[in-house]
Amino acid sequence: MKRLIFSLFIAVLAAGMSQAQNITRRYAWEGTLDGKIAIRLAIEVNSEGIVAGSILYPKAKKAAPILVVGSTYEGGMFYLSEYLADGRITGNMGFEIKGGLPVGEWTNPKTQKSYQFTSMRKIAFPNGFGGKLVPESPGNIGHEYGFMTYSEPYNDYMGGNFTFRAAGKNKVHFEACNAVRNIAEGESEAGRPAVLSGNHFVYRNVNECGYGFEAFFYPQFMVARSVTDGDTVGCFGMGASLEGVYIKTKK
C-alpha cells in the first residue's frame, strides 16, 4: 500500500512539473554514433518548440550528462547543440524522428566530421536528464549569458553574449552581441527597458532600426528569437541577428 501511494505521488509530481514547463513531448534513446561511440540522449519539447535535455557518453573517461538545447521546425526536424558550462558548443545534431527513433547525425563543430545515429532504441527517461525547461522567475534572471562555437573561416571560437541589469520590478536593461555570421549588436534604450511577462519578453525596434526579438529564460540558459521579418536585420551585417541559445555564465 505504501509503495502504491508513493508511486502515485511521483506520478502526480511528474505531471505537475511537465505542466509547469508546458512540456508537449519527451523522448529518450540510447545507441551509437557510426556504431562506435555509445550515447544516451533524452530531450523534452515545450509548447514554444524549444527543446532541451542531456546527452551522455557512457564510455567517456569522466562520463557526465551534457546540456543540449535547440528547437523543432516545420517538417519535424530537430536541431540541437551540446553546451559546456562556459557556453562552448561541443557538438551539433540535426535529426528527424521516424518510428519513434532519431534519424540524422551529430557533427563536431571544430573538425566538421559527422557521425550518423546508429542502433538507436527507446529507453525510459533517465533521472537527471530532464527538467531543463522550468520557466525562470524574473528575479532569478542572470547577469550574463553567452555561447561560443568554432568558426572554420576564422580558425577560432566565435559567439555571442547578453548582459542584463535590473531596471525595476520585472524589468531589465540589456546589451547584446552575436558575432557568428556578421556582427549584430544592440541594447535597450535608456528609459525603455525590456518588460518581462513570466520568463519571457518581447523587445522591438532595437537600435531604432526596426529589428525585434523575444527572449525565453530557463535556469541554465536563455533563447533569443527574431520576431520581425528578414528585412529588419539590415541594421546588422548581412545574415546577422541576435537569435541563438545563450548559456547562463554569471548569476
Side-chain angles (χ1 to χ4, degrees):
M1 186 65 179
K2 288 182 178 179
R3 181 177 296 178
L4 176 60
I5 292 173
F6 180 75
S7 297
L8 289 172
F9 171 76
I10 293 299
V12 170
L13 183 64
M17 179 173 285
S18 292
Q19 186 175 15
Q21 299 177 71
N22 296 316
I23 299 301
T24 60
R25 286 173 282 168
R26 301 179 93 209
Y27 303 98
W29 310 283
E30 66 180 10
T32 59
L33 299 176
D34 273 3
K36 302 173 184 177
I37 304 170
I39 63 167
R40 186 174 300 154
L41 175 64
I43 56 175
E44 297 175 312
V45 186
N46 71 10
S47 56
E48 298 294 340
I50 297 171
V51 186
S54 301
I55 188 170
L56 175 73
Y57 301 93
K59 296 184 179 180
K61 188 173 181 180
K62 295 182 179 179
I66 300 171
L67 175 69
V68 295
V69 187
S71 297
T72 60
Y73 294 88
E74 290 185 11
M77 289 300 298
F78 288 69
Y79 292 100
L80 308 173
S81 295
E82 56 181 51
Y83 295 87
L84 300 185
D86 63 358
R88 187 156 36 101
I89 295 174
T90 52
N92 296 307
M93 288 167 268
F95 59 87
E96 54 187 327
I97 297 175
K98 293 184 177 181
L101 300 175
V103 177
E105 61 185 22
W106 179 100
T107 301
N108 183 313
K110 189 169 185 177
T111 66
Q112 292 302 305
K113 187 172 183 179
S114 295
Y115 302 83
Q116 298 292 316
F117 289 114
T118 48
S119 304
M120 301 301 291
R121 69 181 187 89
K122 296 178 185 178
I123 60 172
F125 204 94
N127 290 333
F129 276 56
K132 308 296 190 293
L133 291 172
V134 176
E136 185 67 289
S137 64
N140 289 333
I141 288 177
H143 179 64
E144 293 179 4
Y145 295 76
F147 73 92
M148 297 178 288
T149 189
Y150 190 80
S151 174
E152 189 174 4
Y154 293 97
N155 195 32
D156 200 357
Y157 282 89
M158 308 290 286
N161 61 77
F162 266 84
T163 300
F164 295 96
R165 58 183 174 85
K169 186 177 180 180
N170 297 342
K171 297 178 181 179
V172 290
H173 279 297
F174 66 84
E175 294 183 8
C177 176
N178 188 330
V180 173
R181 295 177 180 86
N182 280 299
I183 296 176
E185 293 181 312
E187 60 183 326
S188 55
E189 294 179 43
R192 189 168 73 94
V195 180
L196 287 146
S197 175
N199 72 323
H200 172 251
F201 73 68
V202 177
Y203 198 91
R204 298 182 183 276
N205 201 24
V206 177
N207 300 352
E208 298 183 352
C209 69
Y211 176 74
F213 73 98
E214 62 182 343
F216 298 87
F217 294 87
Y218 303 94
Q220 293 179 262
F221 61 92
M222 62 165 282
V223 176
R225 291 177 170 174
S226 301
V227 295
T228 45
D229 61 43
D231 292 341
T232 63
V233 300
C235 62
F236 307 129
M238 181 67 67
S241 75
L242 296 178
E243 289 190 345
V245 173
Y246 299 75
I247 305 303
K248 183 190 287 186
T249 56
K250 187 175 181 180
K251 294 182 180 181

